[in-house]
Amino acid sequence: MAQRAVWLISHEPGTPLCGTVRFSRRYPTVEKRARVFNGASYVPIPEDGPFLKALLFELRLLDDDKDFVESRDSCSRINKTSIYGLLIGGEELWPVVAFLKNDIIYACVPLVEQTLSPRPPLISVSGVSQGFEFLFGIQDFLYSGQKNDSELNTKLSQLPDLLLQACPFGTLLDANLKNSLDNTNFASVTQPQKQPAWKTGTYKGKPQVSISITEKVKSMQYDKQGIADTWQVVGTVTCKCDLEGIMPNVTISLNLPTNGSPLQDILVHPCVTSLDSAILTSSSIDAMDDSAFSGPYKFPLTPPLESFNLCYYTSQVPVPPILGFYQLKEEEVQLRITINLKLHESVKNNFEFCEAHIPFYNRGPITHLEYKTSFGQLEVFREKSLLIWIIGQKFPKSMEISLSGTVTFGAKSHEKQPFDPICIGETAYLKLHFRILDYTLTGCYADQHSVQVFASGKPKISAYRKLISSDYYIWNSKAPAPVTYGSLLL
């Protein structure tokens, strides 16, 4: 297992190249091995410029990259692995491990110890998992305690010396670069205990475990007889375990209140060592009944060094958090709008923010607006033909708010006004954006006292949770035909 090269690229929209290579390192000894292993299918590591352009194109991060490209965007090229093939000089460089985080693209090219034609399955390329571990380790080093750009630049300047110790000759010895910074000894490559593939080093420092639950709620509401509203909750549990030892064991439990909605379709990280069969068989395809498994959901695991997503899940909650009614009617040269929103009584009435975005597509700029609102403030973006209803951090005691008014538009300019092929005539929507901290719609929470850690030292255990809106649409009830979520993806 070795890496041929590694890059750190800052994503800079609006600049000529849309990005800058902040750091790169090539390993000539590994490159010689790649030439031998790959034979006639060998593709050399390119210079930074061509690599930057090809990677930004593949990730769709170029400013002028708006057209459909069959070789990249067709259904046969749907990528779910963060592993890409880059076309450079008529040849394809594969595999390239790359992901974007905090406006930095982390990328590396693992060594494939066999021919690339035909392309081998990813499971057989051991350097891929090490590549992810390597990049996650660099990410943790750059952003642990980093407060401003000067600190980031300082850490970037330290990388060449640190990688001499942590990854000599392209072979990763320790993904925790803070160990190298503190001049600590690296874990021996001949450990008496076998380590999992995603963990290639050990942690030294104060023990702590952090658990974060993020639920995203999607909704499509029509307020039409015979057309059912839809909503869905998708949850992600993210963990960071800073624990000493080669293979510390941890058990994390997720719990639900008495009236909580059971978790379904649970997918877990490979570091989870065992699972209750009831967790694996709980599916959203099956009809909900009183016998559905409602926890506790226990996950025994051997955690990797970097932050990782412990599990994903869905849940069939009984009602969406905010019920809405939206009516838009054309009256000669103006539109009359009526909006009613109601926060469900079971939802925590304490938002970090809550806004309703009301776009008007395929029309000119807003020239005149008359409105009346029972709560919150209304901001007008005339050139963008957009209204933003700022609801704030709390709904009133009645849990219901309303907005009504008339909007007049000027002459349409195709260059400036937003266009949408779906929102024609009275087909329109409003989109809710909100976030609630220390709350989940399912009621799911991580009990700090039930976390079991089998490692030296008593760790500090932190648990957080939040609910975020995602694709939360309320459609005009006067629209001639309903718009489904699937049609938005076309």
Side-chain angles (χ1 to χ4, degrees):
M1 295 189 296
Q3 305 302 314
R4 296 169 60 187
V6 59
W7 292 266
L8 299 182
I9 299 169
S10 62
H11 179 220
E12 301 168 355
T15 61
L17 297 178
C18 296
T20 303
V21 177
R22 303 290 298 274
F23 174 83
S24 65
R25 169 64 61 84
R26 293 163 176 76
Y27 295 98
T29 55
V30 182
E31 197 65 12
K32 290 183 179 180
R33 293 164 59 193
R35 190 178 291 108
V36 173
F37 282 124
N38 302 158
S41 60
Y42 166 77
V43 177
I45 295 294
E47 296 297 322
D48 289 347
F51 180 84
L52 170 65
K53 185 176 181 180
L55 181 61
L56 292 179
F57 173 80
E58 185 67 25
L59 297 179
R60 294 188 63 92
L61 295 177
L62 295 173
D63 288 343
D64 58 351
D65 188 12
K66 303 184 185 301
D67 297 330
F68 175 84
V69 179
E70 185 173 357
S71 63
R72 179 195 61 193
D73 302 324
S74 67
C75 293
S76 62
R77 287 290 307 275
I78 295 177
N79 192 302
K80 298 182 179 180
T81 61
S82 296
I83 299 171
Y84 305 91
L86 304 185
L87 288 175
I88 303 174
E91 297 180 303
E92 184 180 45
L93 180 66
W94 183 91
V96 178
V97 178
F99 60 86
L100 175 66
K101 190 75 172 179
N102 297 320
D103 292 325
I104 296 289
I105 302 171
Y106 300 80
C108 68
V109 180
L111 172 67
V112 180
E113 298 179 346
Q114 56 186 300
T115 181
L116 299 175
S117 181
R119 180 178 293 183
L122 282 176
I123 193 69
S124 67
V125 184
S126 57
V128 168
S129 60
Q130 189 192 69
F132 277 109
E133 183 78 9
F134 186 26
L135 296 179
F136 284 135
I138 295 176
Q139 175 194 325
D140 284 342
F141 168 72
L142 292 181
Y143 285 95
S144 60
Q146 184 258 328
K147 299 178 181 178
N148 50 50
D149 289 341
S150 63
E151 292 186 19
L152 176 62
N153 292 333
T154 299
K155 290 188 175 183
L156 285 171
S157 66
Q158 295 172 341
L159 271 181
D161 292 334
L162 293 179
L163 294 188
L164 287 176
Q165 302 179 58
C167 191
F169 303 105
T171 301
L172 186 64
L173 298 181
D174 192 346
N176 190 342
L177 300 189
K178 289 182 288 187
N179 287 349
S180 302
L181 189 63
D182 297 335
N183 293 319
T184 57
N185 293 326
F186 299 114
S188 170
V189 294
T190 57
Q191 297 286 359
Q193 286 182 280
K194 184 180 179 181
Q195 290 184 319
W198 59 85
K199 185 175 182 181
T200 57
T202 57
Y203 171 79
K204 296 292 183 182
K206 186 177 181 180
Q208 52 189 350
V209 176
S210 177
I211 307 165
S212 176
I213 303 173
T214 300
E215 286 188 353
K216 294 184 177 181
V217 56
K218 302 180 179 182
S219 182
M220 299 286 280
Q221 299 180 31
Y222 308 100
D223 196 51
K224 276 182 174 289
Q225 191 173 9
I227 302 174
D229 296 342
T230 61
W231 58 91
Q232 180 187 37
V233 173
V234 179
T236 304
V237 182
T238 304
C239 298
K240 181 74 164 69
C241 300
D242 294 329
L243 302 170
E244 294 188 350
I246 300 171
M247 290 180 63
N249 294 312
V250 180
T251 299
I252 294 175
S253 297
L254 302 180
N255 300 274
L256 295 175
T258 304
N259 59 345
S261 301
L263 310 185
Q264 300 172 317
D265 306 323
I266 298 176
L267 299 175
V268 300
H269 191 276
C271 70
V272 176
T273 55
S274 63
L275 273 180
D276 190 312
S277 60
I279 296 177
L280 292 173
T281 57
S282 180
S283 171
S284 59
I285 299 177
D286 303 326
M288 290 286 290
D289 54 48
D290 295 336
S291 63
F293 183 68
S294 57
Y297 304 85
K298 293 184 177 292
F299 301 91
L301 56 109
T302 301
L305 292 175
E306 73 281 354
S307 299
F308 64 99
N309 293 327
L310 172 63
C311 70
Y312 302 91
Y313 62 84
T314 66
S315 183
Q316 300 180 36
V317 295
V319 292
I322 299 178
L323 291 169
F325 166 81
Y326 179 31
Q327 188 177 92
L328 178 148
K329 187 177 181 182
E330 290 190 280
E331 296 181 351
E332 296 180 352
V333 296
Q334 64 183 16
L335 297 179
R336 182 174 295 277
I337 62 172
T338 303
I339 300 171
N340 297 318
L341 299 177
K342 181 179 180 180
L343 180 67
H344 194 269
E345 58 185 8
S346 64
V347 177
K348 180 180 179 181
N349 189 12
N350 190 359
F351 294 80
E352 184 179 13
F353 65 87
C354 183
E355 299 175 352
H357 290 210
I358 311 160
F360 301 99
Y361 291 103
N362 310 315
R363 303 179 188 274
I366 297 174
T367 58
H368 185 70
L369 171 67
E370 293 182 2
Y371 71 93
K372 180 181 178 181
T373 176
S374 66
F375 194 79
Q377 298 176 337
L378 191 67
E379 291 189 355
V380 184
F381 295 85
R382 298 182 183 277
E383 291 300 323
K384 295 182 179 180
S385 303
L386 171 68
L387 302 180
I388 297 182
W389 185 9
I390 301 176
I391 299 166
Q393 297 180 325
K394 283 182 178 291
F395 273 63
K397 290 184 179 180
S398 65
M399 300 295 188
E400 297 184 29
I401 58 176
S402 63
L403 168 67
S404 60
T406 58
V407 189
T408 306
F409 301 90
K412 181 166 58 175
S413 170
H414 295 289
E415 295 181 358
K416 294 183 178 180
Q417 270 63 58
F419 169 79
D420 188 284
I422 294 176
C423 296
I424 298 174
E426 292 186 345
T427 302
Y429 66 83
L430 70 83
K431 185 176 182 182
L432 288 176
H433 300 260
F434 58 82
R435 180 184 297 151
I436 307 176
L437 301 181
D438 195 26
Y439 176 79
T440 52
L441 203 55
T442 61
C444 180
Y445 66 95
D447 185 0
Q448 296 168 277
H449 302 290
S450 65
V451 176
Q452 299 176 327
V453 178
F454 303 95
S456 59
K458 184 178 181 180
K460 176 184 177 182
I461 299 175
S462 305
Y464 312 91
R465 57 180 185 164
K466 59 186 174 184
L467 174 69
I468 302 175
S469 64
S470 172
D471 297 331
Y472 204 105
Y473 294 94
I474 300 172
W475 288 90
N476 176 24
S477 61
K478 290 289 186 180
V483 180
T484 62
Y485 182 73
S487 67
L488 290 179
L489 301 180
L490 297 177

